Amino acid sequence: MLFKQQVLLRQKLLVLGSLAIGSLLYLVARVGSLDRLQPLCPIDGRFGPRGQAEIPLRALQFKRGLLHEFRKGNATKEQIRLHNLVQQLPKAIIIGVRKGGTRALLEMLNLHPAVVKASQEIHFFDNDENYAKGIEWYRKKMPFSYPHQITIEKSPAYFITEEVPERIYKMNSSVKLLIIVREPTTRAISDYTQVLEGKERKNKTYYKFEKLAIDPNTCEVNTKYKAVRTSIYTKHLERWLKYFPIEQFHIVDGDRLITEPLPELQLVEKFLNLPPRISQYNLYFNATRGFYCLRFNIVFNKCLAGSKGRIHPEVDTSVITKLRKFFHPFNQKFYQITGRTFNWP
């Protein structure tokens, strides 16, 4: 009897051992496949109207981790070649506007696994010295990506710089252009607030917003003040339309991106011909910061820098009324050109 029990015990141990070894081999094979960066699943949508190859979506941890290492220069040329990584020119550019929410838009779009962002503003097209370095210099400023991912960069000064539309057109006449706007008076005050903070940090004095925005000689809106000029969106857009059709632009509501980001991001996904991948799971409201933060996965969250969401100084209500009255006809024309209407006063 004891002998039979020993035999049965040995048989059970053999079965359990086989199962354990089998499970271990499966895990090793699984990890090996992940190390080779095989796609977990294909995308069901395609980039562009011509049915180009499917975009291979990799696991987010590899996109955030391994690509980050390559951007830091920690990869050999052989590793880059093996993983089929490239530095490609952007297929979409956030061209403006300053203090409209360009950084928030770029970071939120980076939630999409088919999007790779340039971390810094390149200032290639608006800076003569950088532009003289050539298109290859610009391309090498781009992050490593997989061939079917979309590289996006943002430089808000592009929107208001006269030479930029022609220069971007010469690079790629079919590039997609993103413009994020806020209510013009609010944007102008935000612009002023950022400059004011910089002055205060250097212990320098600065004029009040009212004195800059209103011409003291005429008591009318001072159109020479850059913060005011930038908010005349239609004037700048008309210059871009000399080179690009309106269909190549997408207007993002910067005010709504703050309070209700997901619908705005879904519109951008559609404009870029990307399958919907950004969900409410990726966005959560941070009550301490007062705006939405980003959730890439179960362990990696990110909020924008503390410099975002600055408290604006109080501005004389009569000046605000004057500015809104000034911007009103320009806003109406902007609505007409873009086909998008905002609830601006």
Side-chain angles (χ1 to χ4, degrees):
M1 179 66 70
L2 180 62
F3 177 76
K4 288 183 178 180
Q5 288 177 341
Q6 290 175 339
V7 170
L8 287 173
L9 180 61
R10 279 197 294 269
Q11 288 176 341
K12 288 181 180 179
L13 289 173
L14 284 172
V15 170
L16 290 172
S18 299
L19 288 173
I21 292 171
S23 298
L24 181 62
L25 289 173
Y26 171 78
L27 288 172
V28 169
R30 181 63 175 162
V31 170
S33 68
L34 289 175
D35 285 341
R36 291 192 296 274
L37 292 176
Q38 294 297 320
L40 296 181
C41 59
I43 257 184
D44 48 9
R46 296 172 181 270
F47 180 81
R50 297 179 183 175
Q52 297 175 6
E54 290 182 348
I55 303 171
L57 293 186
R58 272 71 179 183
L60 280 175
Q61 62 265 34
F62 288 103
K63 181 189 168 190
R64 311 298 169 190
L66 189 129
L67 289 182
H68 178 64
E69 290 299 311
F70 288 165
R71 281 197 291 273
K72 292 193 300 184
N74 295 342
T76 65
K77 290 183 179 179
E78 181 63 15
Q79 286 175 313
I80 293 170
R81 185 188 67 79
L82 286 174
H83 291 300
N84 198 29
L85 293 169
V86 291
Q87 287 174 291
Q88 52 187 334
L89 293 172
K91 294 184 177 76
I93 303 176
I94 301 172
I95 60 174
V97 300
R98 172 181 163 91
K99 306 313 299 173
T102 56
R103 172 57 59 182
L105 177 61
L106 183 68
E107 296 293 342
M108 288 178 178
L109 288 178
N110 194 49
L111 288 165
H112 199 294
V115 170
V116 179
K117 69 178 177 68
S119 297
Q120 302 298 320
E121 293 180 8
I122 310 299
H123 289 287
F124 177 63
F125 298 103
D126 66 309
N127 183 297
D128 291 340
E129 185 178 338
N130 287 343
Y131 190 68
K133 295 175 183 177
I135 202 72
E136 275 303 297
W137 178 88
Y138 179 56
R139 186 178 64 80
K140 288 179 181 177
K141 291 290 181 181
M142 296 299 140
F144 286 101
S145 61
Y146 299 100
H148 298 295
Q149 287 179 312
I150 298 175
T151 297
I152 297 180
E153 76 121 325
K154 75 103 175 174
S155 294
Y158 288 169
F159 186 58
I160 64 171
T161 305
E162 289 189 11
E163 299 84 1
V164 172
E166 182 178 7
R167 289 174 175 180
I168 291 182
Y169 180 84
K170 287 179 178 178
M171 178 196 71
N172 180 4
S173 61
S174 62
V175 68
K176 298 201 170 188
L177 303 166
L178 294 162
I179 304 172
I180 179 167
V181 293
R182 296 187 68 191
E183 191 276 313
T185 301
T186 302
R187 194 222 64 82
I189 297 172
S190 180
D191 197 327
Y192 166 83
T193 305
Q194 177 170 295
V195 176
L196 175 65
E197 185 181 274
K199 297 286 185 181
E200 291 175 340
R201 198 181 303 120
K202 298 175 182 178
N203 294 318
K204 293 183 178 181
T205 58
Y206 196 50
Y207 294 110
K208 292 187 69 175
F209 176 78
E210 292 88 338
K211 190 169 184 178
L212 294 168
I214 304 299
D215 188 325
N217 297 317
T218 63
C219 293
E220 297 300 328
V221 172
N222 180 15
T223 55
K224 293 181 180 180
Y225 178 37
K226 187 176 179 180
V228 168
R229 290 203 315 273
T230 300
S231 285
I232 308 175
Y233 305 138
T234 185
K235 290 290 186 182
H236 305 294
L237 182 59
E238 285 173 343
R239 185 171 58 252
W240 283 85
L241 291 173
K242 294 176 182 177
Y243 295 91
F244 299 96
I246 193 63
E247 291 77 20
Q248 278 177 237
F249 296 87
H250 178 73
I251 311 300
V252 179
D253 186 340
D255 295 307
R256 192 183 184 204
L257 192 73
I258 296 171
T259 60
E260 197 180 1
L262 185 58
E264 286 298 315
L265 295 172
Q266 290 171 335
L267 290 173
V268 178
E269 284 180 323
K270 186 175 181 181
F271 172 70
L272 296 177
N273 294 311
L274 291 171
R277 287 295 182 270
I278 302 174
S279 69
Q280 197 62 57
Y281 167 80
N282 301 118
L283 303 159
Y284 67 95
F285 187 78
N286 186 312
T288 303
R289 301 293 299 277
F291 49 79
Y292 280 86
C293 294
L294 317 179
R295 181 185 290 114
F296 290 89
N297 53 45
I298 196 169
V299 295
F300 182 33
N301 299 340
K302 180 178 183 179
C303 285
L304 297 180
S307 60
K308 304 301 178 183
R310 296 180 181 91
I311 298 174
H312 293 178
E314 287 190 20
V315 176
D316 190 296
T317 54
S318 65
V319 172
I320 292 176
T321 300
K322 189 182 286 286
L323 282 167
R324 286 176 172 172
K325 184 178 180 181
F326 168 80
F327 286 126
H328 182 74
F330 296 111
N331 295 342
Q332 295 302 309
K333 191 170 185 180
F334 186 71
Y335 302 160
Q336 184 180 6
I337 293 173
T338 62
R340 182 153 196 191
T341 302
F342 300 98
N343 295 320
W344 297 338

